[in-house]
Amino acid sequence: MGLMLAYTLIPLIWLAISATKSNQTLFDSPGLWFGDGFHLFDNIRDVFTYDGGIYLRWFGNTLLYSVVGAGGASVIATMGGYALAKFEFAGRRVLSALVIGAISIPASALAVPTYLLFSDMGIVNTPWAVLLPSLASPFGLYLMRVYATEAVPDAMLEAARIDGAGELRIFLTISTRLLAPGFVTVLLFTLVATWNNYFLPLIVLNDPKLFPLTVGLRQWDSLAQGGAGAGAIPILPLVITGSLLAIVPLVVAFLFLQRFWQSGLAAGGVKQ
Amino acid sequence: MRRRGAVRRNLTAHAFLLPFLCVFAIGVLAPLVYSVNLSLYQERMIGGRVFSGLDNYTKAFKDGLFHAGLGRVALFFAIQVPLMLGLALMAALAIDSGRLRAPGLFRIGLFVPYAVPGVVAALMWGYLYGDRFGLAGEIGDLLHTELPDLLSESWMLASIGNIVTWSYVGYNMLIFYAALRSVPEELYEAAEVDGAGAFRKAFSIKLPALRPALLMATTFSVIGSFQLFNEPSVLQSLAPAAVTTNYTPNMYAYSLAFDGRQFNYSAAVAVLLGLVTVIVAYAVQSATARRERLL
Protein backbone atom coordinates (compact mmCIF):
# COMPACT_ATOMS: atom_id res chain seq x y z
CA MET A 1 0.00 0.00 0.00
CA GLY A 2 2.89 2.34 0.73
CA LEU A 3 4.13 1.61 -2.76
CA MET A 4 0.79 2.56 -4.25
CA LEU A 5 0.71 5.80 -2.33
CA ALA A 6 4.21 6.57 -3.64
CA TYR A 7 3.01 5.77 -7.16
CA THR A 8 0.12 8.23 -6.98
CA LEU A 9 1.99 10.98 -5.13
CA ILE A 10 5.53 11.02 -6.59
CA PRO A 11 4.50 12.48 -9.97
CA LEU A 12 2.68 15.27 -8.14
CA ILE A 13 5.67 15.91 -5.89
CA TRP A 14 7.82 16.03 -9.01
CA LEU A 15 5.44 18.58 -10.51
CA ALA A 16 5.49 20.74 -7.39
CA ILE A 17 9.30 20.66 -7.17
CA SER A 18 9.75 21.30 -10.87
CA ALA A 19 7.56 24.38 -10.59
CA THR A 20 10.30 25.94 -8.43
CA LYS A 21 12.95 25.63 -11.14
CA SER A 22 14.11 27.85 -13.92
CA ASN A 23 14.31 26.51 -17.44
CA GLN A 24 18.03 25.76 -17.11
CA THR A 25 17.73 24.11 -13.69
CA LEU A 26 15.01 21.78 -15.01
CA PHE A 27 17.63 20.14 -17.18
CA ASP A 28 20.62 20.02 -14.85
CA SER A 29 19.16 19.17 -11.44
CA PRO A 30 17.73 15.89 -10.10
CA GLY A 31 14.00 15.53 -10.76
CA LEU A 32 12.93 14.93 -7.21
CA TRP A 33 15.08 17.52 -5.50
CA PHE A 34 15.34 21.29 -5.62
CA GLY A 35 17.82 22.91 -7.94
CA ASP A 36 19.76 26.15 -7.62
CA GLY A 37 17.52 28.97 -6.53
CA PHE A 38 13.82 29.01 -5.83
CA HIS A 39 11.94 30.28 -8.85
CA LEU A 40 8.36 29.37 -7.93
CA PHE A 41 7.23 32.96 -7.52
CA ASP A 42 9.07 34.10 -10.64
CA ASN A 43 7.43 31.26 -12.52
CA ILE A 44 3.98 32.13 -11.18
CA ARG A 45 4.49 35.75 -12.16
CA ASP A 46 5.57 34.68 -15.64
CA VAL A 47 2.56 32.38 -15.98
CA PHE A 48 0.19 35.22 -15.20
CA THR A 49 1.91 37.85 -17.35
CA TYR A 50 2.90 35.81 -20.42
CA ASP A 51 1.11 36.78 -23.62
CA GLY A 52 -0.84 39.63 -22.02
CA GLY A 53 -2.02 37.57 -19.07
CA ILE A 54 -3.91 35.00 -21.17
CA TYR A 55 -3.52 32.36 -18.44
CA LEU A 56 -5.72 34.36 -16.09
CA ARG A 57 -8.39 34.47 -18.78
CA TRP A 58 -8.16 30.69 -19.23
CA PHE A 59 -8.47 30.32 -15.50
CA GLY A 60 -11.57 32.53 -15.47
CA ASN A 61 -13.06 30.62 -18.41
CA THR A 62 -12.51 27.30 -16.67
CA LEU A 63 -14.09 28.72 -13.55
CA LEU A 64 -17.09 29.96 -15.55
CA TYR A 65 -17.53 26.71 -17.48
CA SER A 66 -17.27 24.57 -14.39
CA VAL A 67 -19.24 26.69 -11.92
CA VAL A 68 -22.12 27.38 -14.30
CA GLY A 69 -21.88 24.03 -16.09
CA ALA A 70 -21.43 21.80 -13.05
CA GLY A 71 -23.65 23.86 -10.76
CA GLY A 72 -26.44 23.99 -13.32
CA ALA A 73 -26.07 20.32 -14.18
CA SER A 74 -26.28 19.36 -10.51
CA VAL A 75 -29.40 21.44 -9.85
CA ILE A 76 -31.07 20.12 -13.00
CA ALA A 77 -30.10 16.51 -12.19
CA THR A 78 -31.28 16.85 -8.59
CA MET A 79 -34.72 18.12 -9.60
CA GLY A 80 -35.08 15.47 -12.28
CA GLY A 81 -33.76 12.62 -10.15
CA TYR A 82 -36.09 13.59 -7.32
CA ALA A 83 -39.06 13.64 -9.69
CA LEU A 84 -38.13 10.22 -11.10
CA ALA A 85 -37.71 8.76 -7.62
CA LYS A 86 -40.68 10.23 -5.82
CA PHE A 87 -43.49 10.76 -8.32
CA GLU A 88 -45.57 8.21 -10.22
CA PHE A 89 -46.30 9.41 -13.72
CA ALA A 90 -46.71 8.09 -17.23
CA GLY A 91 -43.44 7.56 -19.06
CA ARG A 92 -41.34 7.18 -15.94
CA ARG A 93 -40.01 3.77 -16.94
CA VAL A 94 -39.20 4.83 -20.49
CA LEU A 95 -37.38 7.90 -19.24
CA SER A 96 -35.32 5.92 -16.73
CA ALA A 97 -34.30 3.46 -19.44
CA LEU A 98 -33.39 6.34 -21.77
CA VAL A 99 -31.17 7.91 -19.15
CA ILE A 100 -29.37 4.66 -18.32
CA GLY A 101 -28.83 4.14 -22.03
CA ALA A 102 -27.46 7.67 -22.33
CA ILE A 103 -24.88 7.02 -19.61
CA SER A 104 -23.17 4.57 -21.91
CA ILE A 105 -22.95 7.21 -24.63
CA PRO A 106 -19.81 9.04 -23.56
CA ALA A 107 -19.58 12.79 -23.94
CA SER A 108 -16.47 12.40 -26.09
CA ALA A 109 -18.38 10.32 -28.65
CA LEU A 110 -20.75 13.22 -29.04
CA ALA A 111 -18.12 15.93 -29.36
CA VAL A 112 -17.67 15.84 -33.13
CA PRO A 113 -21.44 15.65 -33.84
CA THR A 114 -21.98 18.44 -31.30
CA TYR A 115 -19.54 20.63 -33.19
CA LEU A 116 -21.33 20.00 -36.47
CA LEU A 117 -24.76 20.67 -34.99
CA PHE A 118 -23.65 23.78 -33.13
CA SER A 119 -21.89 25.19 -36.15
CA ASP A 120 -25.20 24.92 -38.01
CA MET A 121 -26.89 26.66 -35.10
CA GLY A 122 -24.18 29.32 -35.11
CA ILE A 123 -23.09 28.92 -31.50
CA VAL A 124 -19.68 27.40 -32.19
CA ASN A 125 -16.90 29.49 -30.69
CA THR A 126 -19.13 30.93 -27.97
CA PRO A 127 -19.22 29.90 -24.29
CA TRP A 128 -22.64 28.32 -24.94
CA ALA A 129 -21.04 25.60 -27.03
CA VAL A 130 -19.18 24.39 -23.95
CA LEU A 131 -21.91 25.16 -21.40
CA LEU A 132 -24.96 23.59 -23.03
CA PRO A 133 -23.60 20.02 -23.33
CA SER A 134 -22.12 20.31 -19.81
CA LEU A 135 -25.54 20.97 -18.34
CA ALA A 136 -26.84 17.54 -19.31
CA SER A 137 -25.57 14.91 -16.90
CA PRO A 138 -27.42 11.59 -17.30
CA PHE A 139 -25.09 10.01 -14.75
CA GLY A 140 -25.91 12.76 -12.27
CA LEU A 141 -29.62 12.19 -12.79
CA TYR A 142 -29.18 8.44 -12.29
CA LEU A 143 -27.14 8.93 -9.13
CA MET A 144 -29.70 11.40 -7.79
CA ARG A 145 -32.63 9.10 -8.52
CA VAL A 146 -30.97 6.27 -6.62
CA TYR A 147 -30.04 8.60 -3.79
CA ALA A 148 -33.46 10.26 -3.51
CA THR A 149 -35.26 6.91 -3.38
CA GLU A 150 -33.38 6.10 -0.17
CA ALA A 151 -32.84 9.51 1.39
CA VAL A 152 -36.35 10.99 1.21
CA PRO A 153 -38.92 8.82 3.03
CA ASP A 154 -42.33 8.62 1.34
CA ALA A 155 -44.04 8.87 4.73
CA MET A 156 -42.48 12.27 5.29
CA LEU A 157 -43.74 13.53 1.92
CA GLU A 158 -47.24 12.22 2.69
CA ALA A 159 -47.23 13.91 6.08
CA ALA A 160 -46.23 17.23 4.52
CA ARG A 161 -48.92 16.91 1.87
CA ILE A 162 -51.60 16.20 4.48
CA ASP A 163 -50.45 19.33 6.29
CA GLY A 164 -51.25 21.18 3.09
CA ALA A 165 -47.75 22.02 1.88
CA GLY A 166 -47.35 22.45 -1.88
CA GLU A 167 -44.92 20.29 -3.84
CA LEU A 168 -42.47 23.10 -4.48
CA ARG A 169 -42.43 24.06 -0.83
CA ILE A 170 -41.93 20.44 0.22
CA PHE A 171 -39.02 20.19 -2.20
CA LEU A 172 -37.37 23.42 -1.15
CA THR A 173 -37.80 23.14 2.61
CA ILE A 174 -37.64 19.39 3.30
CA SER A 175 -36.28 17.37 0.40
CA THR A 176 -33.31 19.58 -0.51
CA ARG A 177 -31.89 19.13 2.97
CA LEU A 178 -32.14 15.37 2.81
CA LEU A 179 -30.67 15.37 -0.69
CA ALA A 180 -27.66 17.52 0.20
CA PRO A 181 -24.99 14.77 0.38
CA GLY A 182 -26.16 13.34 -2.94
CA PHE A 183 -26.14 16.82 -4.43
CA VAL A 184 -22.55 17.45 -3.30
CA THR A 185 -21.48 14.12 -4.80
CA VAL A 186 -23.06 14.93 -8.14
CA LEU A 187 -21.60 18.45 -7.97
CA LEU A 188 -18.09 17.12 -7.43
CA PHE A 189 -18.35 14.61 -10.26
CA THR A 190 -19.68 17.19 -12.68
CA LEU A 191 -17.13 19.72 -11.42
CA VAL A 192 -14.28 17.32 -12.19
CA ALA A 193 -15.83 16.53 -15.57
CA THR A 194 -16.14 20.19 -16.56
CA TRP A 195 -12.85 21.37 -15.02
CA ASN A 196 -10.99 18.58 -16.80
CA ASN A 197 -12.95 18.78 -20.03
CA TYR A 198 -10.66 18.91 -23.03
CA PHE A 199 -12.11 17.19 -26.07
CA LEU A 200 -15.29 19.25 -26.34
CA PRO A 201 -13.76 22.74 -25.88
CA LEU A 202 -10.89 21.74 -28.18
CA ILE A 203 -13.44 21.10 -30.89
CA VAL A 204 -16.04 23.81 -30.39
CA LEU A 205 -13.69 26.72 -29.60
CA ASN A 206 -10.99 28.26 -31.73
CA ASP A 207 -10.58 31.66 -30.11
CA PRO A 208 -7.76 31.39 -27.51
CA LYS A 209 -9.58 33.98 -25.41
CA LEU A 210 -12.35 31.43 -24.79
CA PHE A 211 -10.11 28.45 -24.02
CA PRO A 212 -10.28 26.65 -20.70
CA LEU A 213 -6.99 25.82 -18.96
CA THR A 214 -6.70 22.33 -20.45
CA VAL A 215 -6.79 23.51 -24.06
CA GLY A 216 -4.58 26.51 -23.28
CA LEU A 217 -1.92 24.46 -21.48
CA ARG A 218 -1.89 22.01 -24.34
CA GLN A 219 -1.24 24.89 -26.71
CA TRP A 220 1.66 26.12 -24.57
CA ASP A 221 3.06 22.61 -24.50
CA SER A 222 2.99 22.42 -28.28
CA LEU A 223 4.88 25.73 -28.34
CA ALA A 224 7.44 24.37 -25.89
CA GLN A 225 7.91 21.19 -27.91
CA GLY A 226 8.19 23.12 -31.13
CA GLY A 227 11.00 25.49 -30.26
CA ALA A 228 11.81 25.47 -26.57
CA GLY A 229 12.27 29.03 -25.39
CA ALA A 230 11.43 30.67 -28.67
CA GLY A 231 10.16 33.90 -27.13
CA ALA A 232 11.52 36.23 -24.48
CA ILE A 233 10.56 33.76 -21.73
CA PRO A 234 11.31 30.05 -21.97
CA ILE A 235 7.90 28.43 -21.99
CA LEU A 236 8.59 25.04 -20.42
CA PRO A 237 8.53 26.31 -16.80
CA LEU A 238 5.25 28.01 -17.67
CA VAL A 239 3.65 24.74 -18.73
CA ILE A 240 4.81 23.05 -15.53
CA THR A 241 3.85 25.85 -13.17
CA GLY A 242 0.59 26.46 -15.05
CA SER A 243 -0.27 22.77 -14.73
CA LEU A 244 0.36 22.86 -11.00
CA LEU A 245 -1.87 25.91 -10.59
CA ALA A 246 -4.63 24.23 -12.63
CA ILE A 247 -4.77 21.30 -10.22
CA VAL A 248 -4.94 23.22 -6.96
CA PRO A 249 -8.61 24.37 -6.96
CA LEU A 250 -10.06 20.90 -7.48
CA VAL A 251 -7.82 19.30 -4.86
CA VAL A 252 -8.87 21.98 -2.39
CA ALA A 253 -12.54 21.45 -3.27
CA PHE A 254 -12.18 17.72 -2.70
CA LEU A 255 -10.49 18.14 0.64
CA PHE A 256 -13.09 20.61 1.86
CA LEU A 257 -16.12 18.64 0.76
CA GLN A 258 -14.67 15.25 1.65
CA ARG A 259 -17.11 14.20 4.33
CA PHE A 260 -20.10 15.04 2.13
CA TRP A 261 -19.20 13.25 -1.06
CA GLN A 262 -17.89 10.12 0.60
CA SER A 263 -21.29 9.40 2.12
CA GLY A 264 -23.09 10.05 -1.15
CA LEU A 265 -20.68 8.01 -3.24
CA ALA A 266 -22.06 4.68 -2.02
CA ALA A 267 -25.37 5.28 -3.78
CA GLY A 268 -24.34 4.78 -7.40
CA GLY A 269 -22.10 1.81 -6.84
CA VAL A 270 -24.22 -0.14 -4.44
CA LYS A 271 -27.88 -0.01 -5.38
CA GLN A 272 -29.18 -1.17 -8.69
CA MET B 1 -59.87 15.30 -4.03
CA ARG B 2 -57.36 12.49 -4.13
CA ARG B 3 -57.47 12.44 -7.90
CA ARG B 4 -56.88 16.14 -8.18
CA GLY B 5 -53.82 15.77 -5.97
CA ALA B 6 -52.49 13.03 -8.24
CA VAL B 7 -52.95 15.16 -11.34
CA ARG B 8 -51.23 18.09 -9.75
CA ARG B 9 -48.38 15.86 -8.62
CA ASN B 10 -48.08 14.52 -12.13
CA LEU B 11 -47.67 18.08 -13.36
CA THR B 12 -45.10 18.82 -10.66
CA ALA B 13 -43.06 15.81 -11.71
CA HIS B 14 -43.03 16.98 -15.31
CA ALA B 15 -42.11 20.50 -14.28
CA PHE B 16 -39.19 19.16 -12.24
CA LEU B 17 -38.01 17.07 -15.15
CA LEU B 18 -38.43 19.74 -17.80
CA PRO B 19 -35.00 21.43 -17.40
CA PHE B 20 -33.24 18.09 -17.66
CA LEU B 21 -35.25 17.06 -20.70
CA CYS B 22 -34.35 20.35 -22.41
CA VAL B 23 -30.59 20.11 -21.87
CA PHE B 24 -30.70 16.38 -22.58
CA ALA B 25 -32.36 17.07 -25.92
CA ILE B 26 -29.81 19.72 -26.88
CA GLY B 27 -26.70 18.12 -25.42
CA VAL B 28 -27.27 14.43 -26.12
CA LEU B 29 -30.22 13.54 -28.34
CA ALA B 30 -29.85 16.24 -31.00
CA PRO B 31 -26.12 15.61 -31.70
CA LEU B 32 -26.87 11.91 -31.82
CA VAL B 33 -29.69 12.22 -34.32
CA TYR B 34 -27.76 14.84 -36.28
CA SER B 35 -24.68 12.67 -36.68
CA VAL B 36 -26.69 9.60 -37.71
CA ASN B 37 -28.36 11.75 -40.33
CA LEU B 38 -25.04 13.20 -41.44
CA SER B 39 -23.46 9.77 -41.73
CA LEU B 40 -26.01 8.79 -44.39
CA TYR B 41 -24.82 11.46 -46.82
CA GLN B 42 -21.72 12.05 -48.89
CA GLU B 43 -20.13 15.17 -50.27
CA ARG B 44 -19.48 14.59 -53.99
CA MET B 45 -17.36 16.69 -56.31
CA ILE B 46 -20.24 16.72 -58.77
CA GLY B 47 -23.74 17.02 -57.37
CA GLY B 48 -22.72 18.19 -53.90
CA ARG B 49 -24.43 16.56 -50.95
CA VAL B 50 -26.09 13.28 -51.89
CA PHE B 51 -27.86 10.60 -49.90
CA SER B 52 -25.65 7.53 -49.87
CA GLY B 53 -27.35 5.17 -47.46
CA LEU B 54 -24.92 3.00 -45.57
CA ASP B 55 -21.98 3.66 -47.92
CA ASN B 56 -20.00 5.47 -45.23
CA TYR B 57 -20.46 2.53 -42.91
CA THR B 58 -19.36 -0.09 -45.45
CA LYS B 59 -16.34 2.12 -46.11
CA ALA B 60 -15.54 2.21 -42.36
CA PHE B 61 -15.94 -1.57 -42.10
CA LYS B 62 -13.19 -1.98 -44.68
CA ASP B 63 -11.04 0.91 -43.43
CA GLY B 64 -7.70 -0.40 -42.21
CA LEU B 65 -6.95 2.79 -40.27
CA PHE B 66 -10.20 2.46 -38.31
CA HIS B 67 -9.48 -1.23 -37.64
CA ALA B 68 -5.98 -0.46 -36.38
CA GLY B 69 -7.32 2.09 -33.91
CA LEU B 70 -10.08 -0.20 -32.75
CA GLY B 71 -7.59 -3.05 -32.26
CA ARG B 72 -5.36 -0.77 -30.20
CA VAL B 73 -8.11 0.32 -27.81
CA ALA B 74 -9.38 -3.28 -27.53
CA LEU B 75 -5.90 -4.43 -26.52
CA PHE B 76 -5.66 -1.50 -24.16
CA PHE B 77 -8.99 -2.44 -22.58
CA ALA B 78 -8.03 -6.12 -22.21
CA ILE B 79 -4.82 -5.34 -20.30
CA GLN B 80 -5.20 -1.98 -18.60
CA VAL B 81 -8.70 -2.41 -17.15
CA PRO B 82 -8.18 -5.71 -15.26
CA LEU B 83 -4.87 -4.37 -13.96
CA MET B 84 -6.33 -1.09 -12.76
CA LEU B 85 -9.47 -2.62 -11.24
CA GLY B 86 -7.39 -5.34 -9.56
CA LEU B 87 -5.14 -2.73 -7.96
CA ALA B 88 -8.17 -0.66 -6.91
CA LEU B 89 -9.84 -3.72 -5.41
CA MET B 90 -6.72 -4.65 -3.44
CA ALA B 91 -6.41 -1.12 -2.13
CA ALA B 92 -10.09 -0.96 -1.14
CA LEU B 93 -9.89 -4.28 0.71
CA ALA B 94 -6.69 -3.20 2.46
CA ILE B 95 -8.18 0.12 3.61
CA ASP B 96 -11.43 -1.57 4.65
CA SER B 97 -9.58 -4.28 6.62
CA GLY B 98 -8.78 -1.73 9.32
CA ARG B 99 -5.17 -2.86 9.54
CA LEU B 100 -3.66 0.25 7.96
CA ARG B 101 -2.34 2.90 10.28
CA ALA B 102 -3.68 5.97 8.50
CA PRO B 103 -6.57 4.83 6.26
CA GLY B 104 -7.73 8.39 5.63
CA LEU B 105 -4.33 9.36 4.23
CA PHE B 106 -4.32 6.40 1.85
CA ARG B 107 -7.87 7.08 0.77
CA ILE B 108 -7.30 10.69 -0.13
CA GLY B 109 -3.72 10.14 -1.36
CA LEU B 110 -4.75 7.51 -3.86
CA PHE B 111 -7.74 9.59 -4.94
CA VAL B 112 -5.90 12.87 -5.61
CA PRO B 113 -4.88 12.03 -9.22
CA TYR B 114 -8.57 11.89 -10.14
CA ALA B 115 -8.70 15.65 -9.60
CA VAL B 116 -5.86 16.17 -12.10
CA PRO B 117 -7.13 16.93 -15.61
CA GLY B 118 -6.29 14.15 -18.08
CA VAL B 119 -4.42 16.68 -20.19
CA VAL B 120 -2.26 17.80 -17.27
CA ALA B 121 -1.64 14.16 -16.26
CA ALA B 122 -0.53 13.36 -19.79
CA LEU B 123 1.70 16.46 -19.99
CA MET B 124 3.30 15.58 -16.67
CA TRP B 125 3.88 11.91 -17.43
CA GLY B 126 5.10 12.85 -20.87
CA TYR B 127 7.89 14.88 -19.22
CA LEU B 128 8.52 12.10 -16.69
CA TYR B 129 8.92 9.51 -19.44
CA GLY B 130 11.40 11.61 -21.34
CA ASP B 131 15.11 11.31 -20.65
CA ARG B 132 15.83 15.04 -20.84
CA PHE B 133 14.64 16.02 -17.38
CA GLY B 134 12.19 13.27 -16.55
CA LEU B 135 12.62 10.53 -14.01
CA ALA B 136 13.01 7.71 -16.54
CA GLY B 137 16.58 8.73 -17.33
CA GLU B 138 17.48 9.18 -13.67
CA ILE B 139 16.08 5.80 -12.65
CA GLY B 140 18.07 4.30 -15.51
CA ASP B 141 21.26 5.97 -14.24
CA LEU B 142 20.55 4.75 -10.74
CA LEU B 143 20.21 1.16 -11.95
CA HIS B 144 23.23 1.62 -14.26
CA THR B 145 21.17 0.60 -17.24
CA GLU B 146 19.37 2.37 -19.99
CA LEU B 147 15.60 2.13 -19.60
CA PRO B 148 13.69 1.45 -22.80
CA ASP B 149 12.37 4.55 -24.51
CA LEU B 150 8.91 4.85 -22.97
CA LEU B 151 7.80 7.14 -25.76
CA SER B 152 8.75 4.74 -28.54
CA GLU B 153 6.18 2.99 -30.65
CA SER B 154 6.47 -0.34 -28.84
CA TRP B 155 6.07 1.19 -25.39
CA MET B 156 3.51 3.86 -26.15
CA LEU B 157 0.36 1.86 -25.35
CA ALA B 158 1.82 0.75 -22.02
CA SER B 159 2.86 4.33 -21.26
CA ILE B 160 -0.68 5.55 -21.93
CA GLY B 161 -2.02 2.68 -19.83
CA ASN B 162 0.10 3.85 -16.95
CA ILE B 163 -1.27 7.38 -17.19
CA VAL B 164 -4.88 6.15 -17.22
CA THR B 165 -4.21 3.75 -14.34
CA TRP B 166 -2.58 6.53 -12.35
CA SER B 167 -5.56 8.82 -12.95
CA TYR B 168 -8.36 6.41 -12.13
CA VAL B 169 -7.08 3.78 -9.69
CA GLY B 170 -8.06 5.89 -6.67
CA TYR B 171 -11.46 6.76 -8.10
CA ASN B 172 -12.29 3.08 -8.56
CA MET B 173 -10.84 2.28 -5.17
CA LEU B 174 -13.28 4.75 -3.59
CA ILE B 175 -16.26 3.24 -5.41
CA PHE B 176 -15.26 -0.22 -4.13
CA TYR B 177 -14.54 1.13 -0.67
CA ALA B 178 -17.98 2.78 -0.50
CA ALA B 179 -19.59 -0.52 -1.46
CA LEU B 180 -17.66 -2.34 1.27
CA ARG B 181 -18.65 0.26 3.85
CA SER B 182 -22.31 -0.25 3.03
CA VAL B 183 -22.18 -3.85 4.30
CA PRO B 184 -23.98 -3.87 7.64
CA GLU B 185 -21.73 -4.78 10.56
CA GLU B 186 -24.25 -7.40 11.75
CA LEU B 187 -23.56 -9.47 8.64
CA TYR B 188 -19.94 -9.95 9.67
CA GLU B 189 -20.97 -10.71 13.23
CA ALA B 190 -23.48 -13.29 12.05
CA ALA B 191 -20.82 -14.90 9.85
CA GLU B 192 -18.40 -15.02 12.76
CA VAL B 193 -21.02 -16.70 14.94
CA ASP B 194 -21.43 -19.26 12.17
CA GLY B 195 -17.70 -19.88 12.38
CA ALA B 196 -16.52 -18.07 9.23
CA GLY B 197 -12.84 -17.09 9.04
CA ALA B 198 -11.42 -13.93 7.51
CA PHE B 199 -11.02 -15.54 4.09
CA ARG B 200 -14.51 -16.98 4.12
CA LYS B 201 -15.94 -13.61 5.13
CA ALA B 202 -14.11 -11.88 2.32
CA PHE B 203 -15.34 -14.38 -0.22
CA SER B 204 -18.96 -14.77 0.87
CA ILE B 205 -19.81 -11.28 2.07
CA LYS B 206 -17.38 -8.76 0.60
CA LEU B 207 -17.22 -10.00 -2.97
CA PRO B 208 -21.02 -10.24 -3.46
CA ALA B 209 -21.38 -6.78 -1.93
CA LEU B 210 -18.84 -5.47 -4.44
CA ARG B 211 -20.52 -6.88 -7.53
CA PRO B 212 -22.71 -3.87 -8.46
CA ALA B 213 -19.77 -1.52 -7.90
CA LEU B 214 -17.54 -3.75 -10.00
CA LEU B 215 -20.13 -3.74 -12.75
CA MET B 216 -20.33 0.04 -12.72
CA ALA B 217 -16.54 0.46 -12.67
CA THR B 218 -16.14 -1.97 -15.57
CA THR B 219 -18.79 -0.21 -17.60
CA PHE B 220 -17.08 3.15 -17.16
CA SER B 221 -13.74 1.56 -18.02
CA VAL B 222 -15.14 0.16 -21.28
CA ILE B 223 -16.30 3.64 -22.18
CA GLY B 224 -12.98 5.19 -21.17
CA SER B 225 -10.89 2.71 -23.14
CA PHE B 226 -12.85 2.78 -26.35
CA GLN B 227 -13.14 6.57 -26.30
CA LEU B 228 -9.46 7.16 -25.52
CA PHE B 229 -8.37 10.55 -26.83
CA ASN B 230 -6.78 13.02 -24.40
CA GLU B 231 -3.69 11.09 -23.32
CA PRO B 232 -2.52 9.85 -26.73
CA SER B 233 -3.27 13.18 -28.35
CA VAL B 234 -1.15 15.05 -25.78
CA LEU B 235 1.71 12.57 -26.13
CA GLN B 236 1.50 13.02 -29.89
CA SER B 237 3.53 16.22 -29.76
CA LEU B 238 6.30 14.41 -27.84
CA ALA B 239 6.31 11.37 -30.10
CA PRO B 240 4.71 12.19 -33.44
CA ALA B 241 6.08 9.04 -35.05
CA ALA B 242 4.66 6.69 -32.42
CA VAL B 243 1.23 8.29 -32.09
CA THR B 244 -0.38 8.55 -35.50
CA THR B 245 -3.50 10.58 -36.23
CA ASN B 246 -5.52 7.35 -36.29
CA TYR B 247 -3.97 5.97 -33.08
CA THR B 248 -7.40 5.60 -31.47
CA PRO B 249 -10.80 5.64 -33.23
CA ASN B 250 -11.70 8.90 -31.52
CA MET B 251 -8.50 10.54 -32.76
CA TYR B 252 -9.31 9.19 -36.19
CA ALA B 253 -12.81 10.70 -36.13
CA TYR B 254 -11.27 13.98 -34.99
CA SER B 255 -8.63 14.11 -37.69
CA LEU B 256 -11.12 13.10 -40.38
CA ALA B 257 -13.36 16.00 -39.43
CA PHE B 258 -10.83 18.71 -38.65
CA ASP B 259 -7.82 17.89 -40.80
CA GLY B 260 -9.58 16.15 -43.66
CA ARG B 261 -12.89 18.07 -43.64
CA GLN B 262 -14.63 14.72 -44.22
CA PHE B 263 -17.52 15.45 -41.90
CA ASN B 264 -19.89 12.80 -43.22
CA TYR B 265 -17.39 9.98 -42.98
CA SER B 266 -16.24 11.24 -39.57
CA ALA B 267 -19.84 11.13 -38.35
CA ALA B 268 -20.14 7.51 -39.49
CA VAL B 269 -16.92 6.60 -37.67
CA ALA B 270 -18.17 8.35 -34.51
CA VAL B 271 -21.54 6.58 -34.65
CA LEU B 272 -19.87 3.23 -35.28
CA LEU B 273 -17.48 3.80 -32.39
CA GLY B 274 -20.40 4.69 -30.12
CA LEU B 275 -22.17 1.48 -31.18
CA VAL B 276 -19.07 -0.64 -30.53
CA THR B 277 -18.70 0.99 -27.09
CA VAL B 278 -22.30 0.25 -26.15
CA ILE B 279 -22.09 -3.33 -27.46
CA VAL B 280 -18.88 -4.09 -25.56
CA ALA B 281 -20.29 -2.48 -22.40
CA TYR B 282 -23.42 -4.57 -22.75
CA ALA B 283 -21.45 -7.78 -23.45
CA VAL B 284 -19.28 -7.21 -20.38
CA GLN B 285 -22.37 -6.63 -18.27
CA SER B 286 -24.20 -9.72 -19.44
CA ALA B 287 -21.07 -11.83 -18.98
CA THR B 288 -20.84 -10.62 -15.41
CA ALA B 289 -24.56 -11.16 -14.87
CA ARG B 290 -24.31 -14.74 -16.13
CA ARG B 291 -21.48 -15.50 -13.76
CA GLU B 292 -23.62 -14.06 -11.01
CA ARG B 293 -26.33 -16.57 -11.80
CA LEU B 294 -23.83 -19.42 -11.92
CA LEU B 295 -22.45 -18.75 -8.47
Side-chain angles (χ1 to χ4, degrees), chain B residues 8 17 24 50 58 72 116 192 207 216 234:
Chain B
R8 217 188 36 224
L17 270 163
F24 187 67
V50 281
T58 38
R72 236 169 251 132
V116 177
E192 261 166 53
L207 279 186
M216 186 168 97
V234 169

Side-chain angles (χ1 to χ4, degrees), chain A residues 44-122:
Chain A
I44 291 177
R45 195 200 55 220
D46 288 347
V47 164
F48 283 117
T49 52
Y50 184 77
D51 196 11
I54 189 93
Y55 185 88
L56 204 62
R57 257 205 93 111
W58 294 340
F59 211 101
N61 292 339
T62 305
L63 211 61
L64 171 79
Y65 300 149
S66 34
V67 169
V68 177
S74 307
V75 171
I76 288 169
T78 301
M79 285 169 61
Y82 173 73
L84 274 183
K86 291 295 159 190
F87 294 94
E88 291 283 353
F89 58 92
R92 182 162 94 145
R93 285 256 172 94
V94 181
L95 198 61
S96 297
L98 199 68
V99 167
I100 293 195
I103 293 176
S104 31
I105 305 170
S108 57
L110 291 172
V112 174
T114 301
Y115 165 79
L116 299 169
L117 179 71
F118 283 7
S119 76
D120 269 10
M121 290 165 65

